[in-house]
Amino acid sequence: MNSNVDHRKPRLVFFQWDHQPNANAAGYLLLHMQQQVKCLATHFDVFVINRDCDYSEICDRYEPDLTLFESGYRSHGSRRIKITNTNTHIAVPKLGLHNADPWCDRRAGFLSDMEQWGIETYFAIATMTPEYMPAVKENLFVWPNFIDPEVYHDYGQQKVIPVTLTGQAYGLYPWRQAVFPMIRDRYPCLVSPQHAYESKLAAQLLSGQAYARALNASFVVPTCGTMGGEIVRKHFEIPGAKACLVTERTAAVEAAGFVDMENCVFVDGGNVVERLDYLFAHPDETRRITAAGYSLIHSRHTLSHRPQIYQWFMLNKGLQFGEKIIQSGPFGDLAKVRRISKQESVHVVWEASDRALLKQGDLLLQQGRVEEAKHCYLSCLDYVSYLPEAKFRLAVCALREGDADRAYDLLVDLIKVTIVDYGALDPDPVEWAYFLLALICRGQFERARRLQDFYPSLSHDEFRRARLVIAQLARSADGVVSGRHDRERKSIHQPFDRNDFEWLEWFAETLEQCRQPNLANVLRRASLGASDDEKVSPPRFTPDAGWRLRAYSGIDGLMIKLRLNGLRPNVPPLPEFRYLWHLARGLVPRSQRGPLRRIRMALSKPPVGSGN
């Protein structure tokens, strides 16, 4: 035996958000974060960093073999940490962890974080995330949900609860909306209240062992994976605590190994009563299904069955030129293959309800049926009220209807979610491009021209086209980059596939709808390459009116002249984004920020006609 063999676990530094106990937060959320660390510790020596830090200093101190960055979380009392100097220690591989729902409106913030931190490979906890972020699908793997068997197991509780109804049942959960009332009206039930994550009452919800024991005392427990067909923790917690899982049939659930009437029961609104009557009339059959579900979970879906991040680390160490890493399925192992083989990771194939509506709306929009397209996009918001893809498309519809103000407001709100609410350094590049286009459609060309370089690291084909429009309208198109950028920023949006000529014609038509015919005419002539004799005079643009807007622009310009770029806020110098508030907040130490709240409204109140 070679005594020099190093048997130590590889070192993992996990940059996790500050998920400290919060009196108003649901206890199970904190447990989920702790269980993720516990899962990683099965293969790594884990060091959790949940405070603002210097990446270089952390690497010097802990000498990690791998670093993992949590990102994209939709905060429920948790704090996103700030990490600097991530461009150092390039020999240490870095991974991103999208620890959120696949439809979350922080996805643009996640992609911004990954760009800023120089991360090109990602893991997600949701099986459907590749479908919601197709731009990074090739480098995205799934580290799916699991249970901690020390919490979820058979406590030997007497089965005294016929049905337990737990979890929220609003628009995001159409299956629960259909099924829960039918069950509640027919059978004795233990019903958990539907408190929101942020509610002060959320802390009163059952969690941990108390929740597991309640499941263990139940005959059947229904749950679903939302309108997205996702597989959520409850799918594993219920059978893992030895209760009979009643659920919706989806591709993700079947990929996890669930089989109808073998280890779970698939139902819908049309047969739920019939099937539950059968289960209660045949207790031996119910016990058999329950036992099989318990066996499935404890043999395939505990924290010891989630080695995907460790597998990537080991495979990446020996990765050769011409090789890549793929995943055999959302719950499967990772493996190396030759790039020439054309093998790809296997993802869940399932058309979520919102994706189907988006696809239908896009087809209608391309056919010019704007009102019908809007109905599809608005229907998406019935599932997820903040869905960014639907809001972005509604902004495009508003432009096509000539309502530039409405489009502008929608785009302002989208950008604020990413750079203000989430705190990313820059917005989604497609949203930023259309924000500039909406400004032009409002007749605020000069503002769009000044803001086009506000986020210098942004690059995307739609953004290139927006810059091309600005250059052509300013009659300075010569030398403008017309090809694609070498490194295009990833976006959560997938604009329609048009060539440059088709796109410019589309925008010229949009300008006409927004009562900007002169600009449309200039754009058409420029895009057609008119001769010198045919060229029209450049349009005259009136400066942005209002002393407040001029003041915002002047202050930002002064910061640049004084070389104080590091103190400039990451929000555009406009009242809609509360630029002065963010500027003051950055200049004042954290301990002295209290008085700022008293002047916040005075600084941030937008002028008439501006966004909120």
Side-chain angles (χ1 to χ4, degrees), residues 408 412 415-416 419-420 425 427 432 435-436 439 442 444 446-456 544-560 567-584 603-607 610:
Y408 179 80
V412 165
I415 292 169
K416 283 169 66 175
I419 62 174
V420 177
L425 288 182
W432 182 247
F435 169 77
L436 297 177
L439 279 172
R442 295 176 91 200
Q444 297 170 326
E446 286 298 328
R447 201 181 305 185
R449 185 182 60 80
R450 287 198 309 269
L451 289 174
Q452 64 179 322
D453 294 318
F454 191 80
Y455 298 105
D544 287 332
W547 67 269
R548 296 182 75 235
L549 294 175
R550 292 195 298 273
Y552 276 76
S553 180
I555 292 171
D556 191 61
L558 181 62
M559 297 291 289
I560 297 173
L567 297 176
R568 293 170 68 207
N570 67 322
V571 300
L574 296 172
E576 295 90 325
F577 294 95
R578 294 171 174 165
Y579 176 85
L580 294 182
W581 161 254
H582 289 283
L583 176 61
L603 292 176
S604 61
K605 185 178 179 181
S610 297

Side-chain angles (χ1 to χ4, degrees), residues 341-355:
S341 72
K342 304 298 184 183
Q343 289 179 267
E344 303 290 343
S345 292
V346 177
H347 300 299
V348 172
V349 179
W350 175 265
E351 188 167 69
S353 299
D354 64 325
R355 302 295 100 175

Side-chain angles (χ1 to χ4, degrees), residues 399 404 407-408 411 433-444 507:
L399 290 176
Y408 179 80
L411 291 161
Y434 279 74
F435 169 77
L436 297 177
L437 296 175
L439 279 172
I440 297 171
C441 290
R442 295 176 91 200
Q444 297 170 326
F507 188 62

Side-chain angles (χ1 to χ4, degrees), residues 82 212 307 507 511 575:
K82 296 179 181 179
F507 188 62
L511 284 170

